[in-house]
Amino acid sequence: MHNFDFVKPSSVADAVRALSAQGAQALSGGQTLLPTMKQRLAAPAVLVSLTGIADTKGVRLDKGALSVGGATAHAVVAKEARKHYPALADLAGGIGDPAVRSRGTIGGSLANNDPSACYPAAVLASGATILTDRRSIAADDFFQGMFTTALHDGEIITGVVFPIPEKAAYVKFNQPASRFALTGVFVAKYGSGVRVAVTGASANGVFRWTEAERALSASFTPAAIAGLSLPSDGMIADLHGSAAYRANLARVLTGRGVASAH
Amino acid sequence: MTNVTMTVNGKAVSGDVEGRTLLSSFLREGLGLTGTHVGCDTSQCGACVVHVDGKPVKSCTVFALDVAGAAVKTIEGMANADGSLGVIQQAFQDHHGLQCGFCTPGMVMSAAALLADNPKPTESEVRHYLEGNICRCTGYHNIVKAVLAASGQDVAAVAAE
């Protein structure tokens, strides 16, 4: 890997200043960025670690919603979200493996927006709000395609606010080598209706399956979506599964999510 | 170069590192603690797992400077004070939880993290927890038995469940 200057600020303001340097790049848990840098797919001149900022860490209830700091590790969400939002805790506890979950963070996952990452599905299905150093962004506006988000250069995710659903579930079909989602579906039932977000399937990244949302808002049962199908156009196709396979998997996992929602 | 200080196996250490110096490189090359193995260097295999402030991490996927000031524990810190094998290490020997031994440091560190969190895991919990530690020799059976034995459980009874 190419060398770089390493800085670890202790406040969001200092981190924003450090990120304004030429060639600066934010580092959160580094579980994607370090392997990327080893392959020289990224070669920042300055690396700004975001894990030294105390007020961007932790999980707390705030006005009936669950607020998760941007630099909170997956293992912490898996534990601390358990009694407030169990489906979110399940998702966090199923990312990668235990050592990855000690380091990887929610903010890092969202900023990267890997098309097979788990967190984008929870954030989109929950209609969560992403807080940054300068604004708040609705989940529906945040994800803008594979590895693309609404974040500006140097903008830092400081937290995510999740409205807590009546019931929810995340069902992930593991790609066993990478432990990313071959396809994963997050189903969340709110008083205002049901939201369904699918990750790992579309070449455009996480998306809402609105047809299923309408059917499940009318009747929250696996039978309500049994007759629906997702078009395979634009789905990811690779040696692990064809586009049609992923489209079908998304439907099957949605049904399982409805059946297991808690 | 920047000077980094941390606590490794209870001792304060320091050394000059570059920004890109990985924790695994600092431990092995900077401190001579070659018990931590680098298998894949792509965060897949888990041979390099050490504890940072009590949490298991893949030391090939952490910069040394990012854990400045932390308490790090490596496989060298797992033996008893008199140099005899610690409980988990002894269980790996007793149950032949290794063949070539390359993955063993990471296996032992992950097992220690599991047992700290969940002192009496089921067989399935052990297997699930060790997902990020790859062994190409053993087929895992004896590793799982060793971890169950280290937890003080009757291996035959738990493994039969």
Side-chain angles (χ1 to χ4, degrees), chain A residues 53-60 66-73 76-77 80 106 158-160:
Chain A
I53 306 171
D55 55 8
T56 61
K57 289 185 181 180
V59 176
R60 65 192 162 82
L66 194 69
S67 177
V68 180
T72 310
V76 173
V77 176
E80 296 185 7
I106 185 170
T158 55
V160 185

Side-chain angles (χ1 to χ4, degrees), chain A residues 16 19-20 24-26 111 130 132-137 141-142 144 148-157:
Chain A
V16 170
L19 283 168
S20 66
Q25 155 83 45
I130 290 106
T132 77
D133 58 273
R134 61 201 74 169
R135 59 184 169 145
S136 57
I137 308 170
D141 301 325
F142 183 82
Q144 301 190 346
T148 308
T149 71
L151 292 173
H152 299 309
D153 282 350
E155 188 170 9
I156 298 169
I157 296 176

Side-chain angles (χ1 to χ4, degrees), chain A residues 85-117:
Chain A
Y85 193 165
L88 183 68
D90 291 343
L91 176 145
I95 297 172
D97 58 53
V100 167
R101 293 195 287 274
S102 296
R103 295 291 300 173
T105 69
I106 185 170
S109 171
L110 296 176
N112 192 48
N113 193 19
D114 188 295
S116 300

Side-chain angles (χ1 to χ4, degrees), chain A residues 1 8 38 49 79 97 102, chain B residues 20 41 56 58 60 66:
Chain A
M1 138 181 11
K8 191 165 183 176
K38 287 180 180 181
S49 171
K79 268 208 173 98
D97 58 53
S102 296
Chain B
R20 64 182 167 182
D41 203 24
K58 293 183 171 173
C60 82
D66 214 9

Side-chain angles (χ1 to χ4, degrees), chain B residues 48-142:
Chain B
C48 69
V49 168
V50 302
H51 297 180
V52 172
D53 293 331
K55 307 289 179 210
V57 306
K58 293 183 171 173
S59 62
C60 82
T61 310
V62 178
F63 293 119
L65 284 172
D66 214 9
V67 293
V72 175
K73 189 168 189 178
T74 70
I75 189 68
E76 287 89 348
M78 294 301 286
N80 297 320
D82 65 0
S84 61
L85 296 180
V87 171
I88 298 171
Q89 293 172 308
Q90 188 61 52
F92 270 70
Q93 186 185 69
D94 292 345
H95 291 270
H96 200 56
L98 59 137
Q99 285 181 29
C100 85
F102 194 88
C103 71
T104 311
M107 287 287 178
V108 170
M109 298 315 288
S110 283
L114 166 64
L115 297 181
D117 210 39
N118 181 0
K120 301 284 179 210
T122 63
E123 181 193 346
S124 138
E125 285 171 337
V126 173
R127 288 185 185 277
H128 187 65
Y129 196 89
L130 294 178
E131 265 184 344
N133 291 81
I134 309 297
C135 172
R136 297 293 77 175
C137 299
T138 62
Y140 303 97
H141 286 324
N142 288 355

